[in-house]
Amino acid sequence: MLQEDNAQREGKIYGGKVTPLVLVICLVAATGGLIFGYDVGVTAGSTSSNEFLRKFFPSVYIKMKCEMDDEDGYCRFDSQMLTLFTSSIYMAAMVAPFFASSVTTAYGRKASMILGGLVFFVGSFLGSAAMNIEMLIIGRLLLGVGVGFGNQSVPVYLSEMAPTMLRGALNIFFQMAITIGILVSSLVHYSTANLEGDLGWRFPLGFAAILGLIMALGSLLLPDTPNSLLTKGQNGKAKELLQKIRGTEEVDEEFQDLFKASEAAKKVENPWKNITQRRHRPQLVLCILIPFFQQLTGINVVMFYAPVLFKTLGFGDRAALMSAVLTGIVNVLATLVAILLVDKLGRRFLFFQGAIQMIICQTTVAVMIGLRYGSTGEGFFTTTEANMALFLICAYVAAFAWSWGPLGWLVPSEICPLEIRSVGQAINVSLNMTLTFAINQSFLSMLCYMKFGLFFFFVLFQIMMTIFIYFFVPETRGVPIEDMKRVWKAHWFWQDFVPDY
Ligand code: BGC
């Protein structure tokens, strides 16, 4: 590990500073995260709306209303159709990144961002106007395409625009936007829950259109990244932009590195084949395992089902929605911590700290539920116990928000050389969405069968991912994005895969 730290210190330090321009650019680009976040939140909110359930999922509604005296408490909300609805966005978002990666490579990061915002905008309209479940699901598939394009292009855009010393923080603006999106949507739900009739769920779905528009219009105003401009052969423009965003004329060294990277990228005929070559094994493995583990923290169980979960634990309707707002606030605030620390303490520190905190919190909640609800799911928490569970869930969300949440988007977007960056990120997004889909689709059934043991299942993965980070994920803080090779060369395991340079 010492060898890696030395590699990082001996790395290049480019000239330039953090300019207001680059901050504004990154803030605008990060709004792409809003659409993803809002949608995660809408899923949680609309599935707890009685009107919504009555219209589209009557059987779940009836089951819920009857209180099911004789039914296992863990199985109350188990409905394949309901989970199919919540998951359908992720089915589209699994496939979309592959198309997005071609658009991003050929036409630039900006093109994918605009397209993503527009498709999302159309999808929100369809969803909020839905007259039947088909319309609802088609709208949601379009939202998925928008999210797939956004998540594929925005993190890469941010990592390329940011100066090395602040790359982590600026990239985490994206996760910040995701968490704000989740919070806004739970607030919208909370305040519209008492609206008469359909408006209570139509309004929140329609509100998403505004976010799609912000993303599309915002991206329209942005310049493309210097790396993208070079790929398109616009060398003069690329250098001019680099000078502007770095606030100095002295950008020759960085520009040369970008230029070399873009020349190498131009020679690559098929980036998909390229990423499978042995010399790109570290990037490929990380782009696969990081999203896999990010989702197996179990975070989306809380994000999607917090209101349902809190209801199961005995909170009333409004209290359950309010708890979701609370976890949303914690999520946003804890992401700030990541922004402040990621370029100081590094990625590995946050990975470790976050995972250990998640393990402690989730294990304790699982034991508490196990003791009180046993294997039947029938039981209750005293007010103190319910508050303690809420506290532990918030501490778990905080831990995720300053570790695996942002790092799951940052690390894959910064470790790949230009020639495979787009496809690496497409793999990351697609797998992230596949796992989100799988967990979301199976969570309610798994809860029904594994009962409180389900929470131990996630803890097991949290232990595995910590071991994985310890051995296989080197520190990338402070290393220029086109100079990452030195990190692999200094790594005890990956060095044999990477050729000398
Ligand atoms: C994850 C999402 C999750 C969100 C929570 C993101 O990094 O990819 O699946 O819902 O964080 O804040």
Side-chain angles (χ1 to χ4, degrees):
M1 303 297 158
L2 188 67
Q3 211 183 352
E4 285 164 29
D5 286 349
N6 286 342
Q8 190 194 322
R9 271 198 297 276
E10 284 157 15
K12 297 179 184 170
I13 298 175
Y14 298 137
K17 51 182 191 259
V18 182
T19 56
L21 180 65
V22 85
L23 289 178
V24 172
I25 288 178
C26 289
L27 267 177
V28 175
T31 57
L34 289 175
I35 63 168
F36 177 41
Y38 188 82
D39 222 77
V40 169
V42 160
T43 308
S46 52
T47 51
S48 73
S49 147
N50 287 341
E51 278 303 321
F52 179 87
L53 290 178
R54 188 157 57 188
K55 192 169 179 82
F56 297 110
F57 304 97
S59 60
V60 180
Y61 178 75
I62 293 166
K63 241 171 131 190
M64 239 176 70
K65 282 289 138 188
C66 298
E67 289 300 337
M68 301 135 301
D69 294 335
D70 51 6
E71 174 142 17
D72 186 332
Y74 290 111
C75 305
R76 210 158 275 176
F77 296 93
D78 187 9
S79 154
Q80 285 301 318
M81 264 316 255
L82 180 60
T83 38
L84 183 65
F85 162 70
T86 57
S87 294
S88 54
I89 181 172
Y90 302 103
M91 292 201 269
M94 272 179 220
V95 186
F98 297 107
F99 296 98
S101 110
S102 310
V103 174
T104 308
T105 308
Y107 301 103
R109 283 70 174 127
K110 178 176 163 168
S112 279
M113 285 153 61
I114 298 174
L115 210 63
L118 284 180
V119 176
F120 191 88
F121 175 74
V122 176
S124 322
F125 259 134
L126 268 186
S128 64
M131 302 309 289
N132 47 41
I133 184 125
E134 288 81 7
M135 227 172 131
L136 193 71
I137 290 182
I138 291 173
R140 227 170 140 68
L141 290 176
L142 288 181
L143 298 186
V145 173
V147 167
F149 269 74
N151 288 13
Q152 192 275 340
S153 48
V154 177
V156 169
Y157 183 96
L158 293 170
S159 286
E160 288 182 348
M161 276 290 182
T164 304
M165 65 278 207
L166 215 66
R167 190 177 59 238
L170 296 191
N171 182 289
I172 296 178
F173 282 6
F174 177 66
Q175 175 74 13
M176 188 63 160
I178 297 179
T179 60
I180 292 175
I182 298 177
L183 177 62
V184 168
S185 95
S186 62
L187 285 172
V188 168
H189 270 96
Y190 186 70
S191 44
T192 53
N194 285 340
L195 285 182
E196 288 291 303
D198 286 353
L199 212 59
W201 63 267
R202 285 197 197 277
F203 179 78
L205 286 181
F207 187 87
I210 301 176
L211 306 182
L213 214 56
I214 294 180
M215 175 181 174
L217 294 180
S219 309
L220 209 61
L221 300 175
L222 293 175
D224 224 326
T225 65
N227 320 52
S228 269
L229 292 171
L230 278 168
T231 311
K232 287 190 271 182
Q234 302 174 359
N235 300 7
K237 239 174 136 181
K239 185 156 186 187
E240 224 175 88
L241 175 66
L242 197 61
Q243 287 168 334
K244 266 201 217 153
I245 56 175
R246 300 286 178 259
T248 169
E249 301 278 302
E250 311 301 316
V251 293
D252 284 353
E253 194 181 4
E254 183 172 7
F255 186 74
Q256 275 315 313
D257 284 349
L258 297 188
F259 183 75
K260 266 192 260 159
S262 91
E263 288 306 296
K266 278 179 195 159
K267 287 194 199 113
V268 172
E269 274 173 25
N270 184 346
W272 288 103
K273 215 165 132 198
N274 198 12
I275 200 171
T276 59
Q277 287 172 3
R278 186 180 156 83
R279 68 198 174 97
H280 289 142
R281 199 56 42 83
Q283 293 91 341
L284 181 64
V285 171
L286 264 60
C287 284
I288 292 174
L289 286 183
I290 287 182
F292 176 82
F293 283 136
Q294 191 211 48
Q295 287 306 315
L296 282 161
T297 54
I299 186 67
N300 281 321
V301 167
V302 178
M303 291 299 136
F304 294 143
Y305 293 107
V308 172
L309 214 63
F310 289 124
K311 263 192 207 180
T312 313
L313 298 182
F315 288 75
D317 274 9
R318 283 197 68 82
L321 275 184
M322 197 57 221
S323 318
V325 173
L326 190 67
T327 52
I329 294 174
V330 169
N331 200 10
V332 174
L333 295 181
T335 307
L336 267 179
V337 175
I339 292 183
L340 295 176
L341 296 185
V342 69
D343 293 309
K344 293 198 178 78
L345 300 179
R347 285 65 165 147
R348 280 169 59 88
F349 176 85
L350 292 179
F351 267 130
F352 291 135
Q353 195 287 334
I356 290 167
Q357 188 167 323
M358 283 192 281
I359 292 169
I360 296 172
C361 294
Q362 217 167 12
T363 308
T364 317
V365 172
V367 170
M368 282 173 69
I369 298 181
L371 288 176
R372 280 290 180 221
Y373 286 77
S375 55
T376 60
E378 290 308 325
F380 65 92
F381 271 166
T382 62
T383 313
T384 319
E385 286 165 349
N387 287 338
M388 187 171 163
L390 181 61
F391 170 79
L392 287 166
I393 290 174
C394 286
Y396 160 83
V397 169
F400 176 87
W402 61 56
S403 63
W404 276 88
L407 298 175
W409 298 106
L410 167 63
V411 175
S413 77
E414 67 179 6
I415 54 170
C416 293
L418 186 63
E419 54 191 281
I420 53 162
R421 191 168 302 144
S422 247
V423 294
Q425 185 64 5
I427 293 175
N428 177 37
V429 179
S430 180
L431 274 169
N432 192 307
M433 298 301 149
T434 308
L435 263 294
T436 309
F437 172 81
I439 289 180
N440 191 35
Q441 194 65 34
S442 52
F443 168 68
L444 290 177
S445 309
M446 279 165 82
L447 180 67
C448 185
Y449 292 109
M450 290 168 75
K451 318 207 183 271
F452 61 89
L454 176 59
F455 298 102
F456 288 120
F457 169 83
F458 291 121
V459 170
L460 194 73
F461 279 101
Q462 287 158 15
I463 294 170
M464 277 164 60
M465 66 185 74
T466 309
I467 298 173
F468 163 71
I469 296 290
Y470 184 80
F471 287 109
F472 299 107
V473 181
E475 183 55 64
T476 46
R477 168 183 66 120
V479 182
I481 192 163
E482 305 300 354
D483 196 29
M484 261 327 144
K485 233 182 191 175
R486 71 174 58 251
V487 169
W488 310 116
K489 267 314 255 180
H491 190 267
W492 72 275
F493 183 75
W494 296 120
Q495 56 185 254
D496 293 339
F497 289 82
V498 183
D500 292 328
Y501 62 105

